[in-house]
């Protein structure tokens, strides 16, 4: 939600915003719909089912969202053991300087 609000002026430059998600997790699907519909006019958005195998842009967006979320978790000292195993501790996680 904060990401949408921070970038609202930029997003409002567009007449329509396409949202691609594979609807793999119901709670994620619900969160996406609620956040987007809160921040952006419902009439300006439309959803398309996405398959990561078919859409490179969806894969890129998924990676960026994962990095953003992980950076936030590190900044809030809420990183999981998987985050720490994969990226190292907060001081050694280079991506944190670019995200979050």
């Amino acid at each position: 939600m904060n990401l949408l609000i921070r970038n609202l002026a930029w997003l409002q430059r567009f007449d329509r915003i396409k949202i691609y998600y594979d609807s793999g997790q119901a709670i994620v699907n619900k969160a996406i719909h609620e956040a987007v519909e809160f921040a952006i006019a419902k009439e300006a958005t439309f959803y398309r089912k996405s398959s990561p195998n078919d859409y490179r842009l969806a894969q890129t967006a998924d990676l960026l969202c994962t990095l953003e979320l992980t950076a936030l978790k590190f900044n809030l000292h809420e990183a999981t053991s998987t985050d720490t195993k994969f990226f190292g501790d907060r001081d050694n996680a280079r991506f944190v300087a670019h995200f979050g």
Side-chain angles (χ1 to χ4, degrees), residues 2-65:
N2 290 337
L3 179 67
L4 293 172
I5 300 298
R6 282 194 322 256
N7 295 289
L8 189 57
W10 182 78
L11 290 168
Q12 288 176 330
R13 295 180 359 203
F14 301 96
D15 294 329
R16 291 204 171 263
I17 297 171
K18 294 180 185 178
I19 298 167
Y20 290 90
Y21 181 63
D22 65 2
S23 299
Q25 297 180 17
I27 194 161
V28 173
N29 192 40
K30 182 178 186 232
I32 290 170
H33 279 260
E34 288 178 1
V36 169
E37 290 165 10
F38 175 82
I40 303 167
K42 197 173 194 176
E43 301 77 34
T45 59
F46 59 101
Y47 300 87
R48 294 285 186 253
K49 187 167 174 110
S50 172
S51 167
N53 295 329
D54 297 332
Y55 297 100
R56 291 180 196 256
L57 181 59
Q59 290 175 315
T60 303
D62 186 45
L63 172 63
L64 292 174
C65 290

Side-chain angles (χ1 to χ4, degrees), residues 67-78:
L67 292 174
E68 177 77 16
L69 175 61
T70 305
L72 290 171
K73 291 191 297 186
F74 270 101
N75 289 336
L76 295 171
H77 304 284
E78 297 177 358

